Amino acid sequence: MIVSFPNMGPNWVAFKTFFETMGAEVIVPEPTNRNTIKFGVKHSPEFVCFPFKATIGDFKNALERGADTLVMAIDCGPCRFGFYASVQERILRDLGYKDFRLIPLDQADLLEFKWVKVLFDVSPSKSVSMYSKALKAVIMLLKKAKLLEDIQTAEGLFRAYERTQGDTTHVVNDLLQQLDQTNSLSGLRKFRPIIKNTFANMDIDRTRNPLRVGISGEIHISLEPYVNIDLRKKLGEMGVEIHQSISLYDWVMHKLHVNFHRKWYEHLAKPYVPIDIGGECRWVLGEYIDKANAGFDGFVHEYPFTCMPEVVARTIITNKLKKMYDMPIIYFSFDEQSGVEGMRTRLEAFVDLMHSRRNQDVKTNKVKLVNNQKQYGHYGNNFCHECIELIQPK
Amino acid sequence: MEVSGGAPKSKVKVGIPRALHFYRYFPFWKKLLEELGAEIVLSTPTSKKIVEEGVQMGFGELCIPMKVFYGHVLHLIENHPDLDYLFVPRYVAEDKDAYFCPKFLSLPDVIRILPNVPKMLNFEVNVKEFPISQSVIELGKQLGVGQSRALESYKTAKEYFKEYQDFLRKGVPVNHALRLVQRDLPFTVPKKKSKGDIKFLLLGHGYNVCDTYINLDFQKKLRDQGIEVITIENLPESLFKVPVIVNKRLRNYWRHEEEIMQAIRYYLTKGRDEIDGVIFLISFACGPDSLISELIMRDMKVVGIPFLDIIMDEHSGEAGLLTRIESFTEMIRRKKRKLEMDAKKKVKSKIKSEV
Ligand code: SF4
Ligand code: SF4
């Protein structure tokens, strides 16, 4: 059995460990590229959401490289995502790819433990030892996912301070390689200090006081750099601090009902959208409010073109929240036609806007920059706080 | 209890936008609200002005039915400043396993924040969480009606709605039936004009299939070409009893899409010879339909039923649409003639060989 799965940025590291620990052979999806998208666009329904097109392309690549088992998350409404696996399977089979299994990973509520079945499905041996293996696989997945989240957090902060453009990107890539090689629990336990130290050793300019921007939106678009045209990196290289709380770990924790900051967002969003309507709608709303309260300079909302829940979120932010909280926001809806140039121009204008507002606020003493000390209030998780220590002026 | 002196209290005025679920539930809403003592104010049928205003309010990525809904709400606000309430229910789930599209789940939320909206009546249908009767009691409270009368009204409304649905199942076009409901006329089946020589199943959400402005009077265009049209609402209840299995693992979870697929399931199997073609009206940027139409298209290919999907938006042009319908029907008629000729030839040659 040779397992593969769709791309979602660096999260292949976590998925790979998961299936390998179960004893399966894994084909890591080849990084999403032009041909992946071309295939997806050609064979998918015309105006299905973009992640559908990208992930079916990933599947085709994997099948051609010899995968025979594809794993895809599903849920059961209310959005389109639950249909992905089935329709994709149908399309692939109609195209003549016959010898594969598509295993749906039911993520609707992880505490219902339907996903355990997947473990049994991908595990070659069906003996008792499987249980301990399965347990280990889950732990490895969670640990790596958490570490990936930490890398993402640090990356967002440090890129705004690097003296040589590209340093952060190198550091991140190195760390990903290292994390991929680390496959013991004891190794993973030591990994967090490694992340911290690697970033601490970067050549950074602590006297800067960059703009601070929150990013949120649909999860696949937010995590896969090819489909969002590497938005985070582009914005970071314009000297902006990026705070993105969406990650695989964040999502899994949420589905295990132990994600407290998401619960906080839900609480904030409740007056505007009281129920889960799919996608990230209510969390985007909550996060917009939360970041506005924490004094952020701006917010980026990214989602696939015509994505239903995010379009609702956008409507509510534009018509209501933006007027209440007055934090600048820029929307990016991505599909196969999105181009780098248009994005760059819009981002530059957005950054200019935020700068002039910041200057205004400094003049009127709304923002005080004492000694370039950066203030975050109660914002962020523990690791984020540790990183913030590293970027404060000495 | 006597109301001491004064003129009889005027009725509470409730505005209903003639869009989206209007085409599905209006008879139910009307009966219910009237039984609860309200007076109903409907927006006018969709017009150019309504669409234009709606388009301005929503932005490009919204599906056209949502933009039209905005337009109707704005129309009500503008023309009926005396409305006491606006009725924009939240439909989450009508049966335990199915949702409506996310945009229905958040409909009151996006309307509530528009400028100058009147107060809104809360009415949430979400049987995953609580029974409809509970929502009705809540609704009654907002209109100052006690629990027992609210439940009584609910019963009456349900019965009336059942009657309405049975009426549709006799093959009556939805728009005709809705007109009768609006005018409080009894359900009498209209005299059938001549039957067409070919019969199409017209698929799609009620608001696409029945809003004659948005779909450029699609049904009439078909009838003008001598085509008999049936819609999902006309099909017997028995088709909708068993859930569709998309594949072993996926239980379809969209209420309306489920009905579409159930209807299709019948024509793919037993009903194969009862229709000559299928047309699916889809609005641009519709989430659910983008996937469902793909599945249907693939199934149709396997069975060989002619299938046409028409994607509508606010820019759809009359001429292009007409050409597409014409060439589609032309193709089907040609095919049908050929089949009949072949059949005749076969009969002839059979007779010959027997001679
Ligand atoms: S949340 Fe958006 S991208 Fe995801 S399935 Fe729904 S419409 Fe598609
Ligand atoms: S079902 Fe489609 S057309 Fe209807 S509201 Fe949802 S997205 Fe729009």
Side-chain angles (χ1 to χ4, degrees), chain B residues 272-326:
Chain B
R272 170 65 194 86
D273 298 322
E274 289 174 29
I275 45 164
D276 301 293
V278 175
I279 300 186
F280 195 169
L281 282 181
I282 306 173
S283 29
F284 172 74
C286 172
D289 287 355
S290 64
L291 286 163
I292 299 294
S293 62
E294 181 77 14
L295 287 172
I296 293 180
M297 185 264 288
R298 283 170 192 269
D299 285 340
M300 292 292 166
K301 246 190 220 156
V302 175
V303 187
I305 300 179
F307 175 70
L308 179 67
D309 53 351
I310 290 193
I311 295 168
M312 311 180 300
D313 64 14
E314 61 265 35
H315 314 296
S316 305
E318 192 107 11
L321 186 65
L322 209 57
T323 338
R324 286 194 69 193
I325 306 178
E326 274 168 3

Side-chain angles (χ1 to χ4, degrees), chain A residues 229 234 332 337-347:
Chain A
I229 327 190
K234 298 230 160 62
F332 284 101
Q337 280 145 20
S338 313
V340 181
E341 277 320 308
M343 179 163 112
R344 194 185 299 278
T345 341
R346 288 188 58 207
L347 279 179

Side-chain angles (χ1 to χ4, degrees), chain B residues 48 115 145 181 190 205 207 211 213 222 273 287 313:
Chain B
K48 189 161 174 228
V145 172
V181 172
H205 292 248
Y207 41 85
D211 188 328
Y213 184 86
L222 292 180
D273 298 322
D313 64 14

